[in-house]
Amino acid sequence: DQQVKQNSPSLSVQEGRISILNCDYTNSMFDYFLWYKKYPAEGPTFLISISSIKDKNEDGRFTVFLNKSAKHLSLHIVPSQPGDSAVYFCAALRGGNKLVFGAGTILRVKS
Amino acid sequence: GAGVSQSPSNKVTEKGKDVELRCDPISGHTALYWYRQSLGQGLEFLIYFQGNSAPDKSGLPSDRFSAERTGGSVSTLTIQRTQQEDSAVYLCASSSRAHPTAFFGQGTRLTVV
């Protein structure tokens, strides 16, 4: 039962352009969503989050958009940099319950 | 330290041996998670603690896996009679009741030979 899905296993983007990573969820009870970045041989690093009462949250080059009616979440990185190359995981939770992760998307930013 | 600490960072063990992996969460964090990532795979949920109790242990793959948490702080994940398919990076994360963002440790890379 995959409650959080990242349907694109990988994404390749030119340096300076926008990277858009997508995530879909099935559980309408989720009320908090997060994005993590993971480099090889390291633990995931928290990137940005959004509460279900909002539809957008921005932090520097990173913006997360939430479309509750479509149960869809996206992460925009503008402009993309080679150092952004990593695996990106979206995650969701319902208050007091476990964090549920998607399978991840490998982002490659080409210089 | 200020972050989630896991030990050991690397563990090589022989098939059939038992191993214990340790997680020190961020001080004051009530929620603690164990995940694992096998080569080329995503993050697989194992168990979730709220305080010392585990309301969700549905991800433990078999009865060879167990975890405990004492004093609402340190957690140990024990794998008995290790098998080669147990080889993975085991990740621990913690979060506070006030803020649901979970922060991860660096992981323990377990190799069963």
Short mmCIF file of all heavy atoms in Angstrom, two decimals, chain A residues 8-38:
data_model
loop_
_atom_site.label_atom_id
_atom_site.label_comp_id
_atom_site.label_asym_id
_atom_site.label_seq_id
_atom_site.Cartn_x
_atom_site.Cartn_y
_atom_site.Cartn_z
N SER A 8 8.54 9.41 -10.88
CA SER A 8 9.72 9.57 -11.73
C SER A 8 10.95 9.11 -10.97
O SER A 8 11.37 9.76 -10.02
CB SER A 8 9.90 11.04 -12.12
OG SER A 8 8.81 11.49 -12.87
N PRO A 9 11.57 8.01 -11.41
CA PRO A 9 12.76 7.53 -10.70
C PRO A 9 13.94 8.48 -10.85
O PRO A 9 14.80 8.54 -9.97
CB PRO A 9 13.08 6.19 -11.35
CG PRO A 9 11.94 5.88 -12.23
CD PRO A 9 11.17 7.12 -12.49
N SER A 10 13.98 9.22 -11.97
CA SER A 10 15.12 10.11 -12.17
C SER A 10 14.72 11.31 -13.01
O SER A 10 13.72 11.29 -13.74
CB SER A 10 16.27 9.36 -12.84
OG SER A 10 15.92 8.94 -14.13
N LEU A 11 15.54 12.36 -12.89
CA LEU A 11 15.30 13.61 -13.60
C LEU A 11 16.66 14.23 -13.91
O LEU A 11 17.53 14.29 -13.04
CB LEU A 11 14.47 14.55 -12.74
CG LEU A 11 14.22 15.96 -13.25
CD1 LEU A 11 13.33 15.92 -14.47
CD2 LEU A 11 13.58 16.83 -12.16
N SER A 12 16.83 14.69 -15.14
CA SER A 12 18.07 15.33 -15.53
C SER A 12 17.77 16.75 -15.98
O SER A 12 16.88 16.97 -16.82
CB SER A 12 18.73 14.53 -16.66
OG SER A 12 20.02 15.05 -16.94
N VAL A 13 18.51 17.72 -15.45
CA VAL A 13 18.23 19.13 -15.71
C VAL A 13 19.55 19.87 -15.97
O VAL A 13 20.59 19.53 -15.36
CB VAL A 13 17.51 19.75 -14.49
CG1 VAL A 13 17.39 21.25 -14.61
CG2 VAL A 13 16.15 19.13 -14.30
N GLN A 14 19.50 20.84 -16.82
CA GLN A 14 20.68 21.66 -17.09
C GLN A 14 20.87 22.68 -15.97
O GLN A 14 19.89 23.25 -15.44
CB GLN A 14 20.50 22.39 -18.42
CG GLN A 14 21.78 22.94 -19.03
CD GLN A 14 22.75 21.87 -19.46
OE1 GLN A 14 22.36 20.81 -19.94
NE2 GLN A 14 24.04 22.13 -19.27
N GLU A 15 22.12 22.91 -15.61
CA GLU A 15 22.43 23.93 -14.60
C GLU A 15 21.77 25.26 -14.96
O GLU A 15 21.79 25.68 -16.11
CB GLU A 15 23.95 24.11 -14.50
CG GLU A 15 24.39 25.14 -13.47
CD GLU A 15 25.90 25.29 -13.40
OE1 GLU A 15 26.61 24.69 -14.24
OE2 GLU A 15 26.38 26.01 -12.51
N GLY A 16 21.18 25.91 -13.95
CA GLY A 16 20.54 27.20 -14.17
C GLY A 16 19.06 27.12 -14.48
O GLY A 16 18.34 28.11 -14.35
N ARG A 17 18.61 25.93 -14.91
CA ARG A 17 17.19 25.77 -15.24
C ARG A 17 16.41 25.33 -14.01
O ARG A 17 16.98 25.09 -12.94
CB ARG A 17 17.02 24.74 -16.36
CG ARG A 17 17.87 25.01 -17.59
CD ARG A 17 17.46 26.30 -18.28
NE ARG A 17 16.20 26.21 -18.99
CZ ARG A 17 16.08 25.87 -20.26
NH1 ARG A 17 17.14 25.56 -20.97
NH2 ARG A 17 14.88 25.85 -20.82
N ILE A 18 15.11 25.20 -14.16
CA ILE A 18 14.26 24.78 -13.06
C ILE A 18 14.19 23.26 -12.97
O ILE A 18 14.11 22.58 -13.99
CB ILE A 18 12.84 25.38 -13.20
CG1 ILE A 18 11.98 25.04 -11.99
CG2 ILE A 18 12.17 24.91 -14.49
CD1 ILE A 18 10.64 25.78 -11.96
N SER A 19 14.27 22.75 -11.76
CA SER A 19 14.00 21.33 -11.50
C SER A 19 12.64 21.24 -10.83
O SER A 19 12.38 21.97 -9.86
CB SER A 19 15.05 20.73 -10.56
OG SER A 19 16.33 20.72 -11.15
N ILE A 20 11.81 20.34 -11.32
CA ILE A 20 10.49 20.13 -10.72
C ILE A 20 10.37 18.66 -10.35
O ILE A 20 10.41 17.78 -11.21
CB ILE A 20 9.35 20.54 -11.66
CG1 ILE A 20 9.46 22.02 -12.01
CG2 ILE A 20 7.99 20.24 -10.99
CD1 ILE A 20 8.43 22.51 -13.02
N LEU A 21 10.25 18.40 -9.06
CA LEU A 21 10.10 17.03 -8.56
C LEU A 21 8.68 16.87 -8.05
O LEU A 21 8.17 17.72 -7.33
CB LEU A 21 11.11 16.76 -7.45
CG LEU A 21 12.56 16.88 -7.93
CD1 LEU A 21 13.35 17.81 -7.06
CD2 LEU A 21 13.19 15.51 -7.93
N ASN A 22 8.06 15.77 -8.43
CA ASN A 22 6.65 15.56 -8.13
C ASN A 22 6.41 14.41 -7.16
O ASN A 22 7.20 13.47 -7.08
CB ASN A 22 5.88 15.29 -9.42
CG ASN A 22 5.85 16.50 -10.32
OD1 ASN A 22 5.41 17.57 -9.93
ND2 ASN A 22 6.35 16.34 -11.54
N CYS A 23 5.29 14.53 -6.48
CA CYS A 23 4.94 13.52 -5.47
C CYS A 23 3.41 13.48 -5.37
O CYS A 23 2.76 14.53 -5.35
CB CYS A 23 5.56 13.94 -4.14
SG CYS A 23 5.25 12.84 -2.76
N ASP A 24 2.84 12.29 -5.34
CA ASP A 24 1.41 12.12 -5.17
C ASP A 24 1.13 11.31 -3.91
O ASP A 24 1.92 10.44 -3.55
CB ASP A 24 0.80 11.39 -6.38
CG ASP A 24 0.96 12.19 -7.66
OD1 ASP A 24 0.35 13.27 -7.74
OD2 ASP A 24 1.72 11.75 -8.54
N TYR A 25 0.02 11.57 -3.28
CA TYR A 25 -0.33 10.81 -2.08
C TYR A 25 -1.79 10.38 -2.15
O TYR A 25 -2.59 10.97 -2.89
CB TYR A 25 -0.03 11.60 -0.80
CG TYR A 25 -0.78 12.90 -0.66
CD1 TYR A 25 -1.97 12.98 0.07
CD2 TYR A 25 -0.29 14.07 -1.23
CE1 TYR A 25 -2.64 14.17 0.22
CE2 TYR A 25 -0.95 15.27 -1.08
CZ TYR A 25 -2.13 15.32 -0.36
OH TYR A 25 -2.81 16.51 -0.22
N THR A 26 -2.12 9.37 -1.40
CA THR A 26 -3.48 8.83 -1.45
C THR A 26 -4.27 9.08 -0.18
O THR A 26 -5.50 9.08 -0.22
CB THR A 26 -3.44 7.31 -1.72
OG1 THR A 26 -2.66 6.68 -0.68
CG2 THR A 26 -2.81 7.01 -3.07
N ASN A 27 -3.58 9.31 0.93
CA ASN A 27 -4.27 9.46 2.20
C ASN A 27 -4.65 10.93 2.45
O ASN A 27 -3.78 11.77 2.70
CB ASN A 27 -3.37 8.95 3.32
CG ASN A 27 -4.07 8.87 4.66
OD1 ASN A 27 -5.11 9.49 4.88
ND2 ASN A 27 -3.51 8.09 5.57
N SER A 28 -5.92 11.24 2.39
CA SER A 28 -6.37 12.62 2.55
C SER A 28 -6.22 13.11 3.99
O SER A 28 -6.42 14.30 4.27
CB SER A 28 -7.83 12.75 2.12
OG SER A 28 -8.64 11.90 2.87
N MET A 29 -5.87 12.21 4.90
CA MET A 29 -5.67 12.60 6.30
C MET A 29 -4.28 13.16 6.56
O MET A 29 -4.02 13.70 7.64
CB MET A 29 -5.91 11.40 7.22
CG MET A 29 -7.30 10.81 7.14
SD MET A 29 -8.56 11.99 7.65
CE MET A 29 -8.26 12.02 9.42
N PHE A 30 -3.37 13.01 5.62
CA PHE A 30 -2.03 13.60 5.81
C PHE A 30 -2.18 15.11 6.00
O PHE A 30 -2.91 15.77 5.27
CB PHE A 30 -1.13 13.33 4.61
CG PHE A 30 -0.64 11.92 4.50
CD1 PHE A 30 -0.58 11.28 3.27
CD2 PHE A 30 -0.21 11.22 5.62
CE1 PHE A 30 -0.11 9.99 3.14
CE2 PHE A 30 0.26 9.92 5.51
CZ PHE A 30 0.30 9.31 4.27
N ASP A 31 -1.44 15.66 6.98
CA ASP A 31 -1.57 17.09 7.22
C ASP A 31 -0.22 17.81 7.24
O ASP A 31 -0.16 19.01 7.52
CB ASP A 31 -2.33 17.36 8.52
CG ASP A 31 -1.72 16.67 9.73
OD1 ASP A 31 -0.57 16.17 9.62
OD2 ASP A 31 -2.37 16.63 10.77
N TYR A 32 0.85 17.08 6.93
CA TYR A 32 2.15 17.73 6.92
C TYR A 32 3.01 17.00 5.91
O TYR A 32 3.01 15.76 5.87
CB TYR A 32 2.78 17.67 8.32
CG TYR A 32 3.90 18.65 8.54
CD1 TYR A 32 3.64 20.00 8.71
CD2 TYR A 32 5.22 18.22 8.60
CE1 TYR A 32 4.66 20.91 8.92
CE2 TYR A 32 6.25 19.12 8.81
CZ TYR A 32 5.97 20.45 8.97
OH TYR A 32 6.98 21.35 9.18
N PHE A 33 3.74 17.76 5.10
CA PHE A 33 4.51 17.18 4.00
C PHE A 33 5.93 17.74 4.04
O PHE A 33 6.13 18.91 4.35
CB PHE A 33 3.85 17.51 2.66
CG PHE A 33 2.42 17.05 2.58
CD1 PHE A 33 1.39 17.87 3.02
CD2 PHE A 33 2.09 15.80 2.10
CE1 PHE A 33 0.07 17.45 2.98
CE2 PHE A 33 0.78 15.36 2.04
CZ PHE A 33 -0.23 16.19 2.49
N LEU A 34 6.88 16.89 3.69
CA LEU A 34 8.27 17.28 3.77
C LEU A 34 9.03 16.79 2.56
O LEU A 34 8.66 15.79 1.93
CB LEU A 34 8.94 16.67 5.03
CG LEU A 34 8.25 16.87 6.37
CD1 LEU A 34 7.31 15.71 6.69
CD2 LEU A 34 9.29 17.00 7.48
N TRP A 35 10.12 17.47 2.25
CA TRP A 35 11.08 17.02 1.24
C TRP A 35 12.44 16.85 1.91
O TRP A 35 12.87 17.70 2.71
CB TRP A 35 11.19 18.02 0.10
CG TRP A 35 10.06 17.97 -0.86
CD1 TRP A 35 8.94 18.75 -0.85
CD2 TRP A 35 9.91 17.09 -1.99
NE1 TRP A 35 8.11 18.42 -1.88
CE2 TRP A 35 8.68 17.40 -2.61
CE3 TRP A 35 10.70 16.07 -2.54
CZ2 TRP A 35 8.22 16.74 -3.75
CZ3 TRP A 35 10.24 15.42 -3.67
CH2 TRP A 35 9.02 15.75 -4.26
N TYR A 36 13.10 15.75 1.56
CA TYR A 36 14.43 15.47 2.04
C TYR A 36 15.35 15.27 0.85
O TYR A 36 14.94 14.80 -0.22
CB TYR A 36 14.46 14.20 2.90
CG TYR A 36 13.81 14.34 4.25
CD1 TYR A 36 12.44 14.21 4.40
CD2 TYR A 36 14.58 14.58 5.38
CE1 TYR A 36 11.85 14.33 5.66
CE2 TYR A 36 14.00 14.70 6.64
CZ TYR A 36 12.64 14.58 6.76
OH TYR A 36 12.06 14.70 8.00
N LYS A 37 16.62 15.60 1.06
CA LYS A 37 17.65 15.37 0.06
C LYS A 37 18.65 14.38 0.64
O LYS A 37 18.99 14.45 1.82
CB LYS A 37 18.35 16.71 -0.25
CG LYS A 37 19.46 16.63 -1.25
CD LYS A 37 19.91 18.02 -1.68
CE LYS A 37 20.71 18.71 -0.63
NZ LYS A 37 21.28 20.00 -1.14
N LYS A 38 19.10 13.47 -0.21
CA LYS A 38 20.05 12.46 0.29
C LYS A 38 21.20 12.30 -0.67
O LYS A 38 21.01 11.99 -1.85
CB LYS A 38 19.34 11.11 0.50
CG LYS A 38 20.24 10.08 1.17
CD LYS A 38 19.54 8.78 1.36
CE LYS A 38 20.42 7.80 2.15
NZ LYS A 38 21.71 7.54 1.51
#
